[in-house]
Amino acid sequence: MKSRVVNSFTVILTMFCISALGNGLAVRTEANVMTELTFTAKNSYSDPFNQVVLDVVFADPAGHVLRVPAFWDGGNVWKARYASPLIGTHVFRSECSAQSDAGLNGVAGTVDVGAYRGNNPLYQHGPVQVAPDHRYLEYWDGTPFFWLGDTWWMGLTHRLHWPDEFQELTADRKAKGFNVIQIVAGLYPDMFPFDPRGANEAGFPWETNYSSIRPAYFDAADRRLLYLVDQGFTPCIVGAWGYFMPWMGVEKMKAHWRYLIGRYGALPVVWCAAGEANLPWYLAPGFPYDDRNQVRDWTEVMRYIRATDPWHRPLTVHPTGIGPLTSRHATDDSSLLDLDMLQTPHGKLNAVAPTVKTVRASYKAEPVMPVIDGEASYEMLGDNLPTEWTRRMFWLCLMNGAAGHTYGANGIWQCNRPGDPHGASPHGGNYGKIPWNVAMHLPGSEQVGFGKRFFEQFAWQDFRPHPEWVRYLDGKNDDVQGPQATGIPGKVQIFYAPKPEPIEIKDLDMLADYSMEYFDVVTGMTTPPVTIQSDTNGNWTCSPPGGIDHDWVVVLTGLKR
């Protein structure tokens, strides 16, 4: 019944558009590449953002109907953005709350989508989605997507200059293998509202009383976000920091999110409803605490995002480090989540156990979804957190079932400038002075890139954690602080040792030959393979490669029977 209704609607809409083509719109694009439609109001409005609601209803060649929210772009102009992987003619008709406005209501036309001819993976393979087994992410065509994110929370501000600085940082991250950028859409952490540090070259995203959105801010943000997509990055757009909720209220936050969906939903993006959704304002009495009222309100907004986004881009929410460290704790309805984003502690050895336990618990939880640690130990946080711990968090997460990882560097997330650091937080603290262009070259970003390249040589999407496969030879450490294992039994087994000490690998076939090689987590180099043999109990003792004084990886493949 539903299919017949959709197809009937498609026929009616197609006939309407064909009859109106003399005065309608006709545009062309390529598969998955966003196109933009412009609508000019005939009437005048004193408060266009709040007075006018404009949707554009599209019907694709397969008979699917998508209701796309349009966005106000200032003055008497509204725009709608559209993209589809389906080749053929897509028809549309606008529907406006101001039904008498002939410039906005009842405008019809077509979008002709042809084959994509470039080499951008987001257009070749399509946008990111959750894989059928819900364990990892993939492109639209089923190609696995290994998430390697970087944290640019304040990357849309003027503190990272456009175009030269933004493009320089983008090029560095692309060369190192990053493919996701976590970035906040104007309502930032770590500052008072309307702090000058949160403006871009066009000012702020909202009027200071939150009465109306400011399209000029987002016109400037467009240049940065569109550039990221053009370079093959998936923006993970964080709608706002959590503590804005009580200031703006649910309805204003829904309006904010409708605007973001209209602006960026046609791009291959991931949505993060809020950053630290359960953390109140820094100066709130009793801070810090787990704010369940905010969680309730953000859950309502997440339902709205899910209902409003016609493309169903992957949706998550970013938790704070209070209580359970997962997205599941930052919403009252985990069914709204497509992936579980974690925030584990910023720290050294003290961060290991919470990280491992959280990843394992999230991996085993229901409903099953991809696990991404979206905020782990930032390199040089406070200008003193060593690379070793940033690198370790990547490996600990991947060995325990994560579908990728997000790196963070002090100096980049808050866009410290040379001689002009971000400065004090509202609570008076300070995260350090290292500038973005120095932080860009910290070794951890290259080392997590090496890790991504290492995993991508295997069918990593089929890996499963196997802590029972390995232990330190002295047996002193438990399976949380000790070595970790993952892989596919009988095909490939990966072992990660946090310390340069011998490990015992267990549960191998008895007296079986394996191909063994070491991977250096610091240099990204792999040793030539050699053959080893398990003992009569199916165990094998492995010493770290000579000359290293850090964590290490060994790989067993090529079982010979």
Side-chain angles (χ1 to χ4, degrees):
M1 182 66 178
K2 181 178 180 181
S3 177
R4 288 198 296 272
V5 171
V6 169
N7 289 337
S8 297
F9 181 87
T10 302
V11 171
I12 294 170
L13 190 54
T14 302
M15 293 176 63
F16 184 95
C17 289
I18 290 173
S19 67
L21 280 181
N23 298 315
L25 299 173
V27 299
R28 296 181 182 274
T29 187
E30 294 179 344
N32 298 309
V33 178
M34 184 184 77
T35 190
E36 184 176 276
L37 307 173
T38 299
F39 301 86
T40 303
K42 302 296 185 182
N43 301 343
S44 296
Y45 304 96
S46 59
D47 186 6
F49 175 71
N50 293 298
Q51 289 177 320
V52 176
V53 176
L54 176 63
D55 290 331
V56 181
V57 181
F58 290 83
D60 70 21
H64 305 121
V65 176
L66 284 76
R67 178 174 290 273
V68 175
F71 62 93
W72 176 54
D73 200 34
N76 62 346
V77 174
W78 278 257
K79 294 181 178 180
R81 292 171 171 176
Y82 182 71
S84 175
L86 300 181
I87 293 171
T89 298
H90 302 237
V91 297
F92 67 83
R93 185 177 188 272
S94 65
E95 295 183 1
C96 184
S97 59
Q99 296 183 16
S100 65
D101 195 323
L104 302 181
N105 191 53
V107 179
T110 61
V111 176
D112 287 324
V113 178
Y116 176 66
R117 297 185 294 271
N119 57 9
N120 187 327
L122 293 169
Y123 300 147
Q124 285 180 320
H125 303 295
V128 172
Q129 63 185 11
V130 177
D133 71 355
H134 298 277
R135 286 294 182 195
Y136 64 98
L137 297 165
E138 63 180 15
Y139 294 100
W140 184 82
D141 68 357
T143 302
F145 179 87
F146 188 108
W147 173 302
L148 185 62
D150 197 15
T151 308
W152 303 7
W153 294 140
M154 302 176 192
L156 296 182
T157 71
H158 66 94
R159 295 178 58 76
L160 185 61
H161 290 178
W162 172 264
D164 52 336
E165 295 178 352
F166 193 94
Q167 293 183 3
E168 180 183 0
L169 181 57
T170 301
D172 180 87
R173 277 12 194 180
K174 183 176 181 178
K176 291 173 179 174
F178 288 84
N179 55 9
V180 176
I181 301 298
Q182 294 177 184
I183 199 163
V184 180
L187 302 174
Y188 296 108
D190 211 46
M191 63 178 74
F192 286 87
F194 304 101
D195 186 304
R197 294 174 293 185
N200 65 19
E201 55 267 33
F204 297 107
W206 280 79
E207 300 294 345
T208 53
N209 57 0
Y210 302 112
S211 60
S212 181
I213 213 156
R214 298 189 65 254
Y217 173 92
F218 292 96
D219 288 340
D222 281 1
R223 292 190 282 271
R224 294 166 165 87
L225 292 169
L226 292 172
Y227 184 77
L228 287 176
V229 172
D230 285 344
Q231 295 302 305
F233 288 89
T234 294
C236 176
I237 297 178
V238 183
W241 222 248
Y243 58 71
F244 278 86
M245 178 59 77
W247 295 334
M248 294 179 67
V250 169
E251 294 310 310
K252 286 291 184 184
M253 199 58 74
K254 287 180 179 178
H256 179 72
W257 260 107
R258 177 184 165 87
Y259 197 83
L260 296 181
I261 294 168
R263 279 266 185 182
Y264 305 121
L267 293 175
V269 299
V270 170
W271 301 130
C272 179
E276 295 190 308
N278 54 321
L279 186 71
W281 171 239
Y282 305 111
L283 303 182
F287 178 91
Y289 61 90
D290 183 17
D291 192 330
R292 303 315 296 175
N293 289 329
Q294 277 187 193
V295 169
R296 176 201 62 209
D297 290 346
W298 278 114
T299 299
E300 183 175 344
V301 171
M302 291 175 69
R303 289 194 182 98
Y304 177 82
I305 296 169
R306 178 67 77 223
T308 305
D309 173 18
W311 292 278
H312 197 112
R313 301 304 189 207
L315 175 62
T316 189
V317 65
H318 175 262
T320 193
I322 299 173
L325 309 173
T326 78
S327 294
R328 300 171 196 267
H329 184 69
T331 177
D332 291 333
D333 184 358
S334 60
S335 71
L336 296 169
L337 297 169
D338 290 303
L339 61 97
D340 194 353
M341 178 175 281
L342 316 181
Q343 181 185 171
T344 57
H346 296 277
K348 302 177 185 179
L349 185 62
N350 62 306
V352 169
T355 299
V356 172
K357 291 177 180 179
T358 300
V359 175
R360 288 181 178 175
S362 180
Y363 181 84
K364 295 175 181 177
E366 296 288 343
V368 172
M369 63 185 76
V371 179
I372 302 289
D373 196 339
E375 185 173 339
S377 295
Y378 284 169
E379 191 169 14
M380 288 297 287
L381 190 68
D383 293 338
N384 59 18
L385 184 62
T387 299
E388 170 191 1
W389 299 99
T390 302
R391 179 183 68 243
R392 282 200 193 189
M393 297 309 151
F394 170 92
W395 284 95
L396 291 170
C397 290
L398 265 296
M399 301 302 288
N400 284 285
H405 191 73
T406 296
Y407 164 89
N410 196 46
I412 292 178
W413 69 268
Q414 77 279 60
C415 300
N416 284 346
R417 298 197 57 73
D420 183 21
H422 177 78
S425 301
H427 50 67
N430 191 307
Y431 290 103
K433 298 181 179 180
I434 184 172
W436 74 269
N437 55 336
V438 174
M440 179 175 69
H441 299 296
L442 291 171
S445 58
E446 184 174 50
Q447 291 170 14
V448 297
F450 292 154
K452 173 176 179 275
R453 187 175 64 191
F454 168 84
F455 278 99
E456 287 184 321
Q457 68 184 307
F458 307 108
W460 60 267
Q461 68 274 13
D462 296 327
F463 283 6
R464 298 294 181 263
H466 286 280
E468 75 280 3
W469 281 355
V470 64
R471 68 181 184 93
Y472 279 127
L473 193 60
D474 61 18
K476 292 180 180 178
N477 289 333
D478 62 27
D479 69 342
V480 172
Q481 295 288 350
Q484 312 291 315
T486 190
I488 305 171
K491 293 184 178 180
V492 57
Q493 296 170 275
I494 313 295
F495 305 92
Y496 171 72
K499 298 187 296 185
E501 297 180 4
I503 59 175
E504 183 181 43
I505 295 172
K506 305 182 293 180
D507 295 338
L508 302 173
D509 286 357
M510 295 183 294
L511 297 175
D513 290 338
Y514 293 83
S515 177
M516 183 277 288
E517 56 192 33
Y518 292 111
F519 175 75
D520 191 317
V521 297
V522 172
T523 67
M525 302 298 292
T526 301
T527 63
V530 298
T531 300
I532 63 94
Q533 187 178 72
S534 60
D535 64 20
T536 56
N537 295 315
N539 300 328
W540 178 61
T541 298
C542 181
S543 296
I548 71 162
D549 60 355
H550 53 74
D551 45 336
W552 55 288
V553 168
V554 62
V555 185
L556 297 185
T557 57
L559 178 63
K560 301 175 182 177
R561 298 190 181 277

